[in-house]
C-alpha cells in the first residue's frame, strides 16, 4: 500500500531532478551557420568628414571623390588599406547569397577605430542587417580600440592631388608636411582614435549591448544566469561603467566581453582580449598615452585580466548544464599560430622577429581548455591556421585562425553545426571582387609622381595588371617580402645566400660532402669539382627515385622564400598557387637537408636546416581548409 502511494512521488522527484541537473533539450541546431570575418580593417573610402569639406582625391574613372591611402603605404604594411573595402562587400554578398544569418567579427574591423571608419562600418552592417536579416556580433581588436580611451591621431599617407601624399590629422600642429612631396595637412576630429565608449556606442547594435530578440545576453560582471534572465536585467548590466576592472591597481578600464544566445541552443562568446597595461604606475589613469598597446593578447590576460578565465569557466559550465553549444571568438589566438615552429623561428631569426611576442604561451591553451572551451575562432595575425591542444586533464581546445580579408589569402571561416557534436568548418576564399581595380588610375598618378622625384624602391607597377583580388593580394605579399620582410626578418648572410642560389644548386648542396660552408663552396666551385660532381650524381638518383625531373627544379631561392611566406599566411590554401610539383620538390630538398649529418657548426647549413624544418611544419600541420571538429573529443578531421 505504501509502495503504491510513494512511487508516483519518487518518479516526479526524479523527473524534476533530471530537468534541473541534466542538459535541457535545446532547439535542433543542425544546419545552423555562423560566418567569421576577422581583420577586415575597413577604411571608409567614400566617407565624409563631419567637420571638414575635404573629400579625398577625385577618381576620374568613376567621377567620385575617394579617401584612399597610397599604394606605397599598403605595400609596406601587412594589411591592404583600400581594396579590402570592396572585398568586405564581396564577402557580405557571398554570405547573403548563402543565406547565412549569423556573422561574427573577431576584431580589427576598422583601420584604427576612427569615427569616419566606424560610421562607415555601421552603415554597411545596417544595410545587410535590414536587407537580409543578418545578425552581426562584434568583439574588440587591438585596432579598435587602439587604447581604452580616445586619443588624437592621424595618418600622413593618404593619397592627394598630383600623386602627392596627403596628411590628415585630428589636431593642428601634430604633423609638419614636406611641401615638395606632400599636400597641406587636413584637420578633422573624425580621424582621431576612439576608445571603448565611442566604439561601443556607435556599434551597440552588433552584440556589445543586449537586444530584446536575444534569448540570453550576459557579461563577466552580470550577476544573473540563463534561468533568471530578462532583458531589463541585461540592459542594467550592459552599462559601460558596470563593465570595468582594474588592469593594474588604480587603473580602471572597460572589458566589453559578452555571451549571447541569438537562437535557442547556440551561445556565442565574444571575448575582449585587449589588455592595456599602464606604462607608468604613477601616471594618470585617464591619460590614453599612458597605456601600452594590446597586441600581445592572451599572455597578458593570464597576468592582468584573470577574471576572464573564471567567467569562461562559469559560462562553459552553464552551457554544458543547459545543453547549449558554446562557440567562442576573440581577436587573439589561443594556440601557437606558427604550426608549432616558434622555437625554430626564434633560433633562426631571433627572439624579436616575426611578432613572436604575440605567440601565446602554452599556459593560455591549457587554462582555457580546462576552463571548458572546446572551440575558439581568433584573428590578429592575418593567417589561416588550425591549432590543437589537449591538457593533462584530457580537455581539448581547437583554435581556428581566421584569415584577413586585407591580406593573402583573403577568406572567411564558415561554421556549420552538424549532428552528434560535430561542426563543419569551411574556409571561403574571396577571389573575385567587384571594383578591386577601381582605384588603379589613382595609383598610376602616384607612381608617376614617385618617378618624377626619383624615389628609391618604388613599388612594382605590375600589381596594376592583376586580374582579380586573389592575384592582387598575392602580389601584395610578394612586394611586402621585397620591400620590407627581406630587410627586416632575415640574417644578412642567409638572405644573400637564399636570394642568389638556384634550386639545382640547393639540391647539390644538400648532398655534398665538405667541411666548408655553402657560401664558400658556391664562391669556389672549382675547388670542389669532385665533391660537386658526386653530389650531382646523388641528386639525379634522388630525382629518379621520386619521379621528378631536373625541370621541376627551375625555381630560385627567391621563389622558395615567396612560397615560404605563402604557406605561412595561407597554410594548405597556398597549394593552389605554389603547385603540387613545386611542393614535391621542396619536400625532397627539405628531406635531404634534414637527413644530412653535416656539422651544425656551419652557420648557413644550420640555418638552412632550421628554414626547411619551419617550412615543413607550415606544410604538414592540422587541416586548415575544410574539416570537422568533434566538440566532445576535440578530434579534427580533414574533408578534402
Amino acid at each position: 500500500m505504501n509502495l503504491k502511494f510513494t512511487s508516483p512521488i519518487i518518479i516526479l522527484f526524479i523527473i524534476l531532478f533530471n530537468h534541473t541537473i541534466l542538459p535541457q533539450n535545446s532547439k535542433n541546431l543542425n544546419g545552423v551557420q555562423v560566418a567569421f570575418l576577422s581583420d577586415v580593417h575597413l577604411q571608409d573610402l567614400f566617407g565624409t568628414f563631419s567637420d571638414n569639406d575635404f573629400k579625398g582625391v577625385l577618381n576620374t574613372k568613376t567621377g567620385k571623390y575617394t579617401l584612399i591611402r597610397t599604394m606605397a603605404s599598403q605595400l609596406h604594411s601587412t594589411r591592404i588599406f583600400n581594396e579590402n573595402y570592396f572585398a568586405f562587400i564581396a564577402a557580405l554578398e557571398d554570405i547573403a547569397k548563402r543565406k547565412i544569418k549569423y556573422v561574427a567579427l573577431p576584431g580589427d574591423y576598422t583601420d584604427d577605430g576612427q569615427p569616419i571608419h566606424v560610421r562607415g562600418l555601421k552603415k554597411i552592417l545596417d544595410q545587410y542587417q535590414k536587407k537580409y536579416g543578418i545578425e552581426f556580433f562584434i568583439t574588440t581588436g587591438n585596432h579598435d580600440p587602439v587604447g581604452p580611451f580616445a586619443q588624437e591621431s592621424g595618418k600622413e599617407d593618404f593619397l592627394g592631388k598630383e600623386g602627392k601624399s596627403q596628411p590628415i590629422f585630428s589636431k593642428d600642429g601634430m604633423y609638419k608636411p614636406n611641401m615638395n612631396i606632400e599636400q597641406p595637412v587636413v584637420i578633422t576630429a573624425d580621424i582621431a582614435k576612439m576608445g571603448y565608449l565611442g566604439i561601443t556606442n556607435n556599434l551597440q547594435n552588433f552584440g556589445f549591448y543586449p537586444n530584446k530578440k536575444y534569448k540570453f545576453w550576459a557579461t563577466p560582471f552580470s550577476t544573473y544566469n540563463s534561468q533568471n534572465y530578462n532583458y531589463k536585467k541585461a540592459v542594467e548590466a550592459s552599462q559601460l561603467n558596470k563593465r570595468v576592472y582594474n588592469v593594474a591597481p588604480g587603473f580602471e578600464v572597460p572589458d566589453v566581453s559578452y555571451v549571447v544566445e541569438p537562437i535557442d541552443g547556440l551561445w556565442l562568446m565574444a571575448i575582449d582580449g585587449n589588455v592595456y597595461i599602464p606604462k607608468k604606475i604613477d601616471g594618470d589613469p585617464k591619460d590614453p598615452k599612458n597605456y601600452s598597446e594590446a597586441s600581445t593578447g592572451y599572455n597578458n590576460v593570464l597576468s592582468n585580466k584573470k577574471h576572464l578565465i573564471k567567467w569562461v569557466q562559469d559560462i562553459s559550465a552553464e552551457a554544458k548544464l543547459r545543453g547549449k553549444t558554446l562557440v567562442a571568438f576573440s581577436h587573439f589566438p589561443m594556440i601557437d599560430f606558427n604550426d608549432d615552429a616558434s622555437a625554430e623561428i626564434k633560433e633562426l631569426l631571433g627572439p624579436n622577429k616575426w611578432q613572436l611576442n604575440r605567440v601565446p604561451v602554452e599556459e593560455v591553451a591549457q587554462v582555457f581548455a580546462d576552463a571548458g572551451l572546446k572551440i575558439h575562432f581568433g584573428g590578429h595575425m592575418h593567417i589561416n591556421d588550425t591549432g590543437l591542444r589537449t591538457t593533462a586533464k584530457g580537455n581539448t581546445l581547437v583554435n581556428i585562425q581566421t584569415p584577413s580579408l586585407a591580406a593573402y589569402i583573403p577568406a572567411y571561416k564558415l561554421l556549420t553545426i552538424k549532428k552528434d557534436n560535430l561542426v563543419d568548418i569551411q574556409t571561403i576564399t574571396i577571389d573575385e571582387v567587384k571594383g578591386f581595380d577601381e582605384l588603379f588610375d589613382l595609383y598610376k598618378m602616384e607612381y608617376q609622381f614617385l618617378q618624377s622625384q626619383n624615389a628609391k624602391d618604388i613599388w612594382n607597377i605590375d600589381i596594376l595588371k592583376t586580374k582579380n583580388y586573389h592575384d592582387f593580394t598575392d602580389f601584395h605579399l610578394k612586394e611586402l617580402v621585397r620591400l620590407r620582410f627581406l630587410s627586416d626578418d632575415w640574417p644578412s648572410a642567409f638572405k644573400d645566400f637564399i636570394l642568389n642560389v638556384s634550386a639545382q644548386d640547393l639540391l647539390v648542396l644538400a648532398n655534398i660532402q665538405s667541411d666548408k660552408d655553402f657560401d664558400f663552396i658556391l664562391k669556389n666551385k672549382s675547388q670542389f669539382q669532385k665533391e660537386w660532381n658526386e653530389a650531382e650524381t646523388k641528386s639525379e638518383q634522388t630525382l629518379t627515385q621520386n619521379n621528378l625531373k631536373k625541370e621541376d627544379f627551375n625555381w630560385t631561392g627567391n621563389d622558395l622564400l615567396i612560397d615560404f611566406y605563402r604557406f605561412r599566411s595561407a597554410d594548405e590554401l597556398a597549394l593552389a598557387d605554389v603547385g603540387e610539383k613545386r611542393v614535391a620538390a621542396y619536400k625532397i630538398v627539405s628531406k635531404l637537408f634534414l637527413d644530412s649529418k653535416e656539422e651544425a657548426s656551419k652557420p648557413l647549413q644550420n640555418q638552412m636546416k632550421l628554414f626547411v624544418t619551419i617550412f615543413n611544419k607550415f606544410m604538414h600541420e592540422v587541416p586548415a581548409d575544410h574539416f570537422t571538429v568533434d566538440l566532445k573529443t576535440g578530434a579534427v578531421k580533414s574533408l578534402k
Side-chain angles (χ1 to χ4, degrees):
M1 186 174 171
N2 263 346
L3 185 60
K4 291 181 180 178
F5 179 75
T6 57
S7 291
I9 296 175
I10 294 170
I11 292 169
L12 179 61
F13 176 79
I14 291 171
I15 291 171
L16 289 172
F17 182 84
N18 281 343
H19 272 275
T20 304
I21 302 300
L22 298 180
Q24 297 176 347
N25 290 326
S26 298
K27 180 180 177 181
N28 181 13
L29 294 176
N30 187 32
V32 171
Q33 295 183 307
V34 183
F36 293 84
L37 277 70
S38 188
D39 297 270
V40 173
H41 287 288
L42 184 79
Q43 179 174 284
D44 189 359
L45 302 181
F46 308 107
T48 55
F49 295 126
S50 61
D51 56 359
N52 194 303
D53 292 334
F54 181 76
K55 302 175 184 178
V57 61
L58 178 64
N59 187 351
T60 56
K61 181 178 179 180
T62 62
K64 294 187 288 188
Y65 283 91
T66 314
L67 283 166
I68 68 168
R69 309 275 281 283
T70 64
M71 177 64 84
S73 65
Q74 65 180 5
L75 291 182
H76 284 81
S77 172
T78 54
R79 68 184 193 268
I80 291 164
F81 297 133
N82 304 323
E83 285 66 30
N84 50 311
Y85 176 94
F86 304 107
F88 184 44
I89 300 297
L92 292 176
E93 285 294 317
D94 187 73
I95 286 166
K97 185 179 179 181
R98 294 171 186 265
K99 302 188 186 308
I100 299 164
K101 295 303 179 185
Y102 306 106
V103 176
L105 284 80
D108 281 9
Y109 30 84
T110 65
D111 177 53
D112 266 331
Q114 305 98 324
I116 187 170
H117 303 322
V118 173
R119 289 198 305 264
L121 176 71
K122 181 182 184 300
K123 181 179 179 181
I124 292 170
L125 298 187
D126 280 341
Q127 288 173 347
Y128 280 85
Q129 194 173 63
K130 182 178 181 180
K131 186 174 181 179
Y132 299 105
I134 300 172
E135 294 187 56
F136 295 95
F137 301 97
I138 290 179
T139 190
T140 55
N142 62 301
H143 281 269
D144 30 40
V146 170
F149 309 111
Q151 53 190 290
E152 303 292 349
S153 189
K155 310 278 185 180
E156 72 275 10
D157 57 10
F158 283 87
L159 183 61
K161 292 179 181 178
E162 304 168 7
K164 292 184 176 183
S165 293
Q166 174 63 67
I168 304 178
F169 283 79
S170 62
K171 189 178 179 181
D172 195 14
M174 291 184 70
Y175 185 80
K176 185 176 180 179
N178 177 348
M179 298 305 292
N180 292 323
I181 58 173
E182 295 174 306
Q183 297 289 354
V185 180
V186 170
I187 305 298
T188 170
D190 285 341
I191 206 69
K193 297 172 182 176
M194 292 196 290
Y196 274 106
L197 181 63
I199 285 177
T200 55
N201 278 350
N202 277 272
L203 303 175
Q204 60 183 286
N205 295 329
F206 310 117
F208 280 133
Y209 288 87
N211 187 303
K212 287 182 178 179
K213 294 189 300 182
Y214 302 158
K215 312 298 180 184
F216 178 57
W217 186 95
T219 80
F221 311 100
S222 54
T223 56
Y224 51 80
N225 60 34
S226 62
Q227 296 304 99
N228 59 16
Y229 170 80
N230 62 53
Y231 177 66
K232 185 178 179 181
K233 289 180 182 178
V235 170
E236 181 70 19
S238 70
Q239 296 176 38
L240 198 59
N241 62 2
K242 295 185 177 180
R243 301 164 73 180
V244 295
Y245 73 105
N246 282 309
V247 67
F251 289 83
E252 190 177 78
V253 296
D255 169 11
V256 294
S257 302
Y258 63 90
V259 62
V260 61
E261 185 173 12
I263 183 175
D264 283 339
L266 174 63
W267 282 12
L268 296 176
M269 175 183 277
I271 303 174
D272 174 6
N274 286 350
V275 184
Y276 303 101
I277 297 175
K279 296 176 183 177
K280 296 180 180 179
I281 296 301
D282 59 350
D284 181 0
K286 295 298 181 183
D287 180 5
K289 295 181 180 179
N290 192 37
Y291 290 89
S292 301
E293 61 170 356
S295 62
T296 301
Y298 281 103
N299 291 342
N300 285 341
V301 168
L302 295 182
S303 58
N304 293 69
K305 208 171 183 179
K306 293 180 180 179
H307 68 271
L308 276 181
I309 300 167
K310 178 65 166 59
W311 178 63
V312 169
Q313 188 175 31
D314 291 344
I315 293 297
S316 299
E318 188 177 0
K320 184 177 181 180
L321 179 67
R322 307 300 174 195
K324 309 295 184 180
T325 297
L326 178 65
V327 178
F329 67 99
S330 72
H331 186 57
F332 304 102
M334 288 186 170
I335 293 175
D336 186 339
F337 46 78
N338 286 321
D339 291 314
D340 292 328
S342 291
E344 290 85 357
I345 292 170
K346 182 178 180 180
E347 187 177 352
L348 175 60
L349 304 181
N352 300 316
K353 299 289 186 177
W354 263 35
Q355 304 179 90
L356 287 173
N357 65 308
R358 297 184 173 190
V359 176
V361 296
E362 284 301 307
E363 187 185 352
V364 171
Q366 305 297 319
V367 164
F368 283 101
D370 284 340
L373 282 192
K374 303 295 184 185
I375 190 168
H376 170 263
F377 288 81
H380 193 36
M381 300 311 301
H382 303 184
I383 62 175
N384 179 50
D385 186 60
T386 306
L388 187 70
R389 288 292 186 274
T390 300
T391 73
K393 296 179 180 179
N395 300 310
T396 299
L397 171 65
V398 179
N399 181 82
I400 298 165
Q401 283 301 113
T402 307
S404 171
L405 290 174
Y408 176 86
I409 281 179
Y412 68 89
K413 295 288 186 179
L414 176 58
L415 175 146
T416 304
I417 299 175
K418 301 290 187 179
K419 295 178 181 178
D420 302 322
N421 294 302
L422 279 183
V423 291
D424 179 289
I425 311 294
Q426 286 179 273
T427 311
I428 311 297
T429 58
I430 304 299
D431 299 322
E432 301 293 335
V433 171
K434 182 181 178 181
F436 90 97
D437 57 353
E438 185 174 304
L439 310 174
F440 282 11
D441 285 351
L442 294 174
Y443 297 137
K444 290 176 183 176
M445 177 179 68
E446 173 195 345
Y447 188 86
Q448 290 165 1
F449 176 75
L450 292 173
Q451 280 188 315
S452 72
Q453 299 296 304
N454 295 316
K456 294 181 179 179
D457 295 325
I458 302 178
W459 48 271
N460 189 341
I461 198 169
D462 286 346
I463 193 172
L464 304 184
K465 297 178 181 178
T466 52
K467 301 300 183 184
N468 55 51
Y469 189 60
H470 171 95
D471 291 350
F472 183 85
T473 61
D474 188 44
F475 209 117
H476 171 264
L477 178 63
K478 292 175 185 175
E479 281 291 85
L480 191 55
V481 171
R482 181 178 73 89
L483 297 171
R484 174 176 163 181
F485 290 161
L486 277 176
S487 60
D488 288 359
D489 290 351
W490 300 94
S492 58
F494 181 81
K495 178 184 70 175
D496 292 341
F497 166 71
I498 204 73
L499 290 180
N500 292 288
V501 72
S502 70
Q504 294 188 21
D505 281 349
L506 276 176
L507 198 58
V508 173
L509 289 170
N511 281 297
I512 203 162
Q513 298 294 317
S514 172
D515 59 355
K516 300 296 183 182
D517 209 349
F518 292 157
D519 53 348
F520 186 86
I521 295 172
L522 288 175
K523 290 174 183 176
N524 302 276
K525 273 188 183 182
S526 59
Q527 296 181 28
F528 300 92
Q529 201 60 55
K530 180 184 176 184
E531 294 90 342
W532 190 272
N533 291 339
E534 289 174 352
E536 262 189 330
T537 301
K538 287 182 182 178
S539 300
E540 290 169 3
Q541 291 170 353
T542 300
L543 296 185
T544 302
Q545 291 166 3
N546 290 277
N547 296 316
L548 291 170
K549 301 175 181 178
K550 272 192 175 182
E551 292 74 27
D552 297 321
F553 287 79
N554 58 3
W555 40 271
T556 65
N558 187 63
D559 294 329
L560 173 64
L561 202 59
I562 294 293
D563 290 340
F564 180 86
Y565 279 99
R566 278 174 167 159
F567 271 102
R568 195 253 176 163
S569 297
D571 206 288
E572 60 184 296
L573 296 178
L575 184 60
D577 291 314
V578 178
E580 292 186 6
K581 279 285 188 183
R582 178 76 62 83
V583 169
Y586 289 160
K587 288 178 179 178
I588 292 300
V589 171
S590 297
K591 187 176 187 307
L592 290 172
F593 276 111
L594 294 174
D595 289 347
S596 170
K597 306 299 181 184
E598 289 295 319
E599 299 172 23
S601 59
K602 301 171 187 174
L604 276 177
Q605 292 193 28
N606 189 42
Q607 289 173 338
M608 197 64 204
K609 282 189 176 183
L610 285 168
F611 179 86
V612 297
T613 298
I614 297 164
F615 202 177
N616 273 339
K617 288 189 174 185
F618 287 170
M619 293 191 289
H620 288 95
E621 286 297 306
V622 184
D625 182 2
H626 189 192
F627 54 95
T628 59
V629 177
D630 188 321
L631 297 181
K632 189 173 182 180
T633 67
V636 176
K637 181 182 178 182
S638 176
L639 294 179
K640 289 192 70 179

